[in-house]
């Protein structure tokens, strides 16, 4: 399927390691056993050979992510796979604090929920006290 997409000039981003859509329960890192390491290394090279433009490495153990990044000519994008990847990605809702998640690799850079809650309280207060909408906010 990847070969078909690449052959037809449809950009394809590879994805190795943890595949959240297929996980039930707790997220677990990949690359712990010799078999997992061999499979990840082999799959990374195969994806590159197939023609993907980059590979997301999700929850791949640091030394393995570092080695894959070193071995490939295409970029790696880490999500919980260390600083050794060429780039990083996080789900926006996670990094701004919209989701209640305790996933190890998620760092909350902002707590947007706090601002949303404050805004909703102000809105409700102004509506109840007939301060909103004003003439300025009405047709």
């Amino acid at each position: 399927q990847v070969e078909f997409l690449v052959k037809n000039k449809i950009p394809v981003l590879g994805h190795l390691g943890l595949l959240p859509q297929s996980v039930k329960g707790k997220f677990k890192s990949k690359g712990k056993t010799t078999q997992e390491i061999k499979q990840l290394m082999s799959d990374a090279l195969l994806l590159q050979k197939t023609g993907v433009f980059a590979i997301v490495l999700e929850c791949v153990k640091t030394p393995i992510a570092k080695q894959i990044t070193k071995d490939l000519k295409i970029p790696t994008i880490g999500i919980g796979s260390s600083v050794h990847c060429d780039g990083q990605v996080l789900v926006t809702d996670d990094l701004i604090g919209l989701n209640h998640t305790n996933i190890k690799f998620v760092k909350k850079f902002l707590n947007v929920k706090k601002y949303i809650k404050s805004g909703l309280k102000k809105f409700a207060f102004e509506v109840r006290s007939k301060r909103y909408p004003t003439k300025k906010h009405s047709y």
Side-chain angles (χ1 to χ4, degrees):
Q1 192 174 21
V2 172
E3 288 173 340
F4 170 82
L5 295 170
V6 171
K7 182 179 175 186
N8 289 290
K9 298 187 179 357
I10 299 169
V12 178
L13 174 65
H15 191 162
L16 293 175
L18 177 75
L19 305 176
Q21 61 275 22
S22 62
V23 171
K24 292 178 182 147
K26 194 174 180 182
F27 285 13
K28 294 181 181 170
S29 63
K30 303 296 178 184
K32 293 184 234 174
T33 68
T34 304
Q35 180 58 34
E36 273 185 348
I37 293 167
K38 285 180 183 176
Q39 191 68 57
L40 286 166
M41 301 295 281
S42 172
D43 289 349
L45 292 170
L46 179 61
L47 283 170
Q48 176 178 261
K49 184 179 177 184
T50 305
V52 300
F53 67 87
I55 300 174
V56 171
L57 299 177
E58 186 161 353
C59 296
V60 173
K61 291 286 194 181
T62 297
I64 311 316
K66 184 177 182 179
Q67 188 62 51
I68 289 172
T69 301
K70 182 180 169 207
D71 290 351
L72 297 180
K73 293 180 176 110
I74 58 174
T76 59
I77 302 165
I79 181 163
S81 294
S82 85
V83 70
H84 299 291
C85 296
D86 296 306
Q88 300 294 323
V89 66
L90 278 178
V91 174
T92 301
D93 289 3
D94 291 342
L95 76 89
I96 63 173
L98 277 178
N99 293 333
H100 176 71
T101 182
N102 292 323
I103 301 168
K104 180 179 179 174
F105 63 80
V106 173
K107 178 178 179 180
K108 293 183 190 327
F109 289 86
L110 182 67
N111 183 356
V112 169
K113 276 186 178 179
K114 174 175 74 174
Y115 298 103
I116 292 170
K117 190 174 184 179
S118 173
L120 291 173
K121 281 183 177 181
K122 287 179 185 176
F123 170 74
F125 173 78
E126 289 193 18
V127 167
R128 287 184 187 113
S129 63
K130 301 286 188 195
R131 294 181 187 178
Y132 178 84
T134 62
K135 197 174 198 177
K136 178 182 176 182
H137 300 103
S138 300
Y139 289 95

